[in-house]
Amino acid sequence: MSHLEPEAKIFACSKSVYLAEKIAKEYGVPLGNITTSYYSDGEFQPSYEESIRGLRVFIVCSTFPNADNLMELLLMIDAAKRASARHITAVIPYFGWARQDRKDKARVPIGAKLVAKLLETAGATRIMTMDLHADQIQGFFEKPVDHLFASTIFLPYIESLGLENLTIASPDMGGSKRAYAYSKFLESDVVICYKQRKEANIIDTMELIGEVKGRNVILVDDMIDTGGTLAKAADLMIEKGALSVRAICTHAILSGAAYEKIENSKLLELIVTDSIPLKKESNKIRVVSCAPLFAEVMQMVQNNNSISGTFLM
């Protein structure tokens, strides 16, 4: 192999092995060997058990809480740098701390910016992620960022449903751009939910902008945390005469009583990716793997090919 195209190896943080194994299989290489030593106080130390000198290293790690996942990724990046890897790509299907992308009140951190600086300081030479909570987070990095869109895998699924009278909905004003992008591709109507919160994860009021009567509605969002917004939106739309309500969310955080809220809501189906592992099974939740998308883009990066052709919107 040319020195301009160093061999690639794929490794994974401990909580993302389930996804990295699928990515490595799609890519066509075995998952690299990592061992982790633990101290009695909880400190841990990852170690590459094979040479990575002069290679391109992909490290797969979704940085969902707790902070150990982010810390493990930072340690693995640092270890790869010190082991003389030529390129170190942090593959972060779910970019945690992304909701802290600005100062929305006095005396709070901008966590997404901090994480970006930590990754670069550790030694990452490239970042690959999917459906950031805010697109402008890419601007926090001084290194190349490949921002993938889950619409690439969700849109074919929506089309396979063959729904008539389709309407795309955004659960809040902030997601209107995403909803319009889906609707443009699917040539469908758009509605938007306007909500006001008492505090984080607690909705005070919600109103619907647009008509859903006699429509099959699909809510689209980048993540689902407690499930309160989507459950309330689905119930409101059914009350307004919608024929059915489904939801598509890239990152299934599903904390607290989220599973119960989804099960008890009027949602017919919740479609998510495997960027975050599900805590338990649910009859209403369908998982569409993002592994083929990441494997394809990783191969393009390895071969210095343009990735723009992978975007459906």
Side-chain angles (χ1 to χ4, degrees):
M1 180 173 289
S2 165
H3 71 281
L4 295 176
E5 297 178 351
E7 180 185 350
K9 289 190 176 183
I10 301 174
F11 297 89
C13 295
S14 55
K15 296 296 178 62
S16 295
V17 169
Y18 75 98
L19 177 57
E21 287 177 337
K22 290 186 278 188
I23 292 174
K25 183 177 180 180
E26 292 283 344
Y27 191 99
V29 298
L31 189 63
N33 187 16
I34 288 277
T35 60
T36 304
S37 303
Y38 291 89
Y39 296 89
S40 61
D41 65 350
E43 182 181 339
F44 54 89
Q45 181 185 58
S47 170
Y48 293 92
E49 297 301 308
E50 54 192 273
S51 176
I52 55 175
R53 181 178 295 274
L55 305 184
R56 183 187 296 276
V57 172
F58 292 102
I59 305 173
V60 180
C61 184
S62 282
T63 54
F64 52 89
N66 59 34
D68 282 359
N69 291 309
L70 174 59
M71 189 65 191
E72 185 178 4
L73 175 59
L74 295 171
L75 290 172
M76 288 181 64
I77 292 171
D78 184 74
K81 176 180 65 178
R82 298 177 189 281
S84 300
R86 177 177 289 187
H87 300 293
I88 305 170
T89 300
V91 181
I92 312 174
Y94 170 66
F95 188 90
W97 319 98
R99 284 175 283 187
Q100 299 179 46
D101 63 325
R102 66 197 184 283
K103 286 188 67 173
D104 55 357
K105 64 179 182 179
R107 298 177 295 280
V108 296
I110 303 179
K113 170 70 171 179
L114 175 60
V115 171
K117 301 306 290 184
L118 287 170
L119 291 167
E120 290 182 341
T121 300
T125 59
R126 191 180 198 95
I127 308 297
M128 189 178 297
T129 189
M130 178 174 65
D131 279 9
L132 287 167
H133 187 62
D135 290 347
Q136 61 267 26
I137 290 174
Q138 297 172 75
F140 292 164
F141 291 91
E142 299 301 325
K143 303 295 184 181
V145 177
D146 298 313
H147 184 207
L148 311 185
F149 298 141
S151 57
T152 306
I153 53 180
F154 283 145
L155 285 170
Y157 178 80
I158 294 174
E159 291 179 322
S160 72
L161 296 174
L163 296 175
E164 297 182 354
N165 301 319
L166 178 63
T167 291
I168 299 297
S170 171
D172 53 38
M173 299 298 289
S176 58
K177 179 181 176 182
R178 181 181 297 105
Y180 278 112
Y182 271 81
S183 68
K184 183 177 179 180
F185 186 91
L186 296 166
E187 299 181 345
S188 66
D189 294 339
V190 178
V191 297
I192 299 173
C193 297
Y194 175 72
K195 66 182 179 183
Q196 291 183 321
R197 293 186 184 274
K198 290 182 178 179
E199 55 186 272
N201 297 129
I202 299 178
I203 300 172
D204 186 14
T205 61
M206 177 179 286
E207 298 178 3
L208 196 59
I209 303 173
E211 181 60 57
V212 296
K213 186 175 182 180
R215 312 292 295 182
N216 289 299
V217 182
I218 296 182
L219 286 151
V220 295
D221 208 352
D222 65 306
M223 65 175 66
I224 174 171
D225 189 353
T226 64
T229 296
L230 289 181
K232 191 174 184 67
D235 294 348
L236 177 61
M237 289 173 179
I238 292 297
E239 290 176 10
K240 297 289 186 179
L243 297 178
S244 68
V245 181
R246 292 173 172 83
I248 284 179
C249 297
T250 307
H251 309 297
I253 300 172
L254 295 173
S255 62
Y259 285 89
E260 290 72 21
K261 289 178 182 177
I262 295 302
E263 287 293 335
N264 296 329
S265 74
K266 297 295 195 302
L267 277 174
L268 189 63
E269 186 178 34
L270 169 64
I271 306 100
V272 299
T273 74
D274 49 0
S275 64
I276 299 175
L278 293 181
K279 299 180 182 71
K280 60 182 180 180
E281 297 296 323
S282 170
N283 292 329
K284 285 192 175 183
I285 300 177
R286 175 181 174 83
V287 178
V288 181
S289 182
C290 60
L293 173 61
F294 275 97
E296 180 183 4
V297 174
M298 288 160 63
Q299 287 177 331
M300 290 176 173
V301 168
Q302 165 67 359
N303 296 322
N304 296 313
N305 294 329
S306 171
I307 69 171
S308 59
T310 63
F311 301 145
L312 291 184
M313 66 177 224

